[in-house]
Amino acid sequence: MAACSIEDVLAKAEQDEAEKLKSITVQKELDLEFDIGNLVAYDKNRIDIRQFREQKKDDFLRSLARDNTQLLINEIWKHPTERVEEVIVVKLPEPTTALPREKPPPKPRPPTKWEEFAKLKGIQKKKKTNLVWDDVAKEWKRRWGYKRVNDGTKEWLIEVPETADPNEDQFAKRNKAKKEKVAKNELHRLRNIARAQKIKVPGVGLTPTAQQSTTDLIRAVNVAKVSTASAGKFQDRLPKEKAPRNTGKKRKFQPVIGNFSNEKQRQLDLLKVMDSKKPRLDVNKAVNKQMREDDREESAAKFRKGGKKGRKGGNFSGKGKGGSGKGKGGGSKGRAGGKGQGPPGGKKGAGKR
Amino acid sequence: MRPLTDDETKTMFEKLSKYIGENIKLLVDRPDGTYCFRLHNDRVYYISEKILKLATNISRDKLVSVGTCFGKFTKTIKFRLHITALDFLAPYAKFKVWVKPGQEQSFLYGNHVLKSGLGRITENTNQYQGVVVYSMADVPLGFGVAAKSTQECRRVDPMSIVVFHQADIGEFIRCEDTLT
């Protein structure tokens, strides 16, 4: 019994292993078609319906898929490989399957004005060679572009025609004409593009930019306002619109020898404003007062202790009293000034009452 | 040369008022003639009207100095007072400091005034108040900023600074090239 069971187990194990290591070769009636670029394999073999019905459907499909994947991987391994950072990578060829478009195809460009005209007139495009033989330089030169054959701007000698002004610069004239031609060509090119994309271009003036900020709009309004015949002098303003005052860059100073009395008056007014804004230094006064009080207490304490030090304490207190009497400024001149102004002020007050 | 703008006048007056207080009025409004402030090459000059009218005849690049230079405006538009303004600050000064003869030379060489060199100081000087420095013979030596208030001056040790040096008349020799 044990022997039988052992045999059974071994046989089962062998079967399992055989199933796992199924051979990598697969037999198929028709060979698969591969598109390795897209990692695709097309299997055109007929499916045996009887076999499909006999087995479990899942198992049949799984074995079919397994076989086809094996063939696909076999095919992939046939291609050249390389090693990228310790990983073996296969270089895929170009995909052969034509995938449909994602987006609709682009519409054909509408013909330019010249193309329309050429079609109307029946003008054919003549293919011209790029290089032209130049007899003067005895070499092949371009028909157009860098170092071309007929470069009008690079002439070293220009004959002045009889009808032209002798003081006119012919070379400058040619350069200017060239620039104008280039500009005209560019303008036509852009117009063609605008017509093709149905963008509206104004005849005169600038095209408006997409999004303008508030400052840009304000600037535009100010510029437009000044762009009248009388430089915006008679332009009305909206009810709540403010006058633009900082458009100019130049600073304006008073003249060197202006009105002296005006200047003096302005400075005196400024001083008056400054005085009114100055706070009365209460903090410092309070701190100093406190310190004086402390000194006085100290000296009083020392006086109580001994008679000699009393004199010093008395002196201190005298100075302290004198200091606290005045509001601000201890200078003699300041005091004199204050005294002088006092009585006249008082008299004035009396007169008013 | 041009007159000062309002902002510049304000900055300058604020600086001056630190030393002479309200007496700036006496500089602006003088009984003995019209004097005015003019700006030339960032420096402020205090000139009488007569001299000003003569000075307008000299071209800007050739003009070096007019009247009395009070100070200059720095690149960041701060006003810096020069020693040449001492003649006008000294008579109107509100807070004065007298320096002992021994320390006089030290101050004239550009050092700060220490407590040991302090002779007298006006009563009620606040800390960081602009002061004019005198010698014991009442000769104005320069100006500075009080580092300590009068009360504090009494109780500090002799080696501490009581007046920060800002300008002294020794600069006439030391800084000859830069003074206009």
Side-chain angles (χ1 to χ4, degrees), chain A residues 251-258 260-261 263-264 266-268 270-271 274-275 277-278 281 284-285 287-288 291-292 294-295 298 316 319 323-324 326-334, chain B residues 1-6 8-10 13-14 17 21-22 24-25 28-30 33-34 36-38 49 52-53 56 91 94-96 122-127 129 149 151-152 154-155:
Chain A
R251 270 173 78 179
K252 275 213 144 175
F253 298 121
Q254 302 293 92
V256 175
I257 305 186
F260 284 117
S261 56
E263 201 184 318
K264 205 185 288 182
R266 234 169 341 112
Q267 285 176 345
L268 289 173
L270 191 68
L271 282 171
M274 273 170 61
D275 274 339
K277 281 202 179 151
K278 246 186 259 184
L281 304 160
N284 277 339
K285 219 171 85 169
V287 165
N288 283 348
M291 285 166 88
R292 253 178 270 128
D294 293 344
D295 281 347
E298 241 187 82
F316 262 124
K319 252 190 192 172
S324 62
K326 291 171 211 92
K328 32 174 166 159
S332 54
K333 286 216 170 113
Chain B
M1 201 162 40
R2 60 166 175 90
L4 300 172
T5 60
D6 281 338
E8 288 164 353
T9 325
K10 190 151 169 273
F13 280 175
E14 272 172 19
S17 67
E22 317 97 28
I24 307 177
K25 272 199 288 274
V28 171
D29 196 0
R30 277 166 81 124
T34 337
C36 50
F37 292 101
R38 288 288 180 268
E49 170 200 345
L52 175 65
K53 288 198 172 144
T56 52
K94 294 198 119 200
F95 297 99
K96 302 180 192 180
T122 11
E123 192 61 58
N124 273 349
T125 319
N126 303 313
Q127 199 179 21
Q129 173 75 43
S149 65
Q151 296 295 325
E152 279 185 48
R154 289 202 188 108
R155 36 169 90 181

Side-chain angles (χ1 to χ4, degrees), chain A residues 119-144:
Chain A
K119 200 161 69 177
L120 192 72
K121 281 278 201 167
I123 300 169
Q124 307 287 51
K125 237 187 176 176
K126 282 206 193 104
K127 190 89 178 168
K128 289 185 184 146
T129 57
N130 279 6
L131 298 173
V132 177
W133 175 251
D134 187 15
D135 259 334
V136 174
K138 296 278 192 292
E139 60 173 6
W140 290 96
K141 277 201 172 166
R142 287 186 198 149
R143 192 191 296 276
W144 43 267

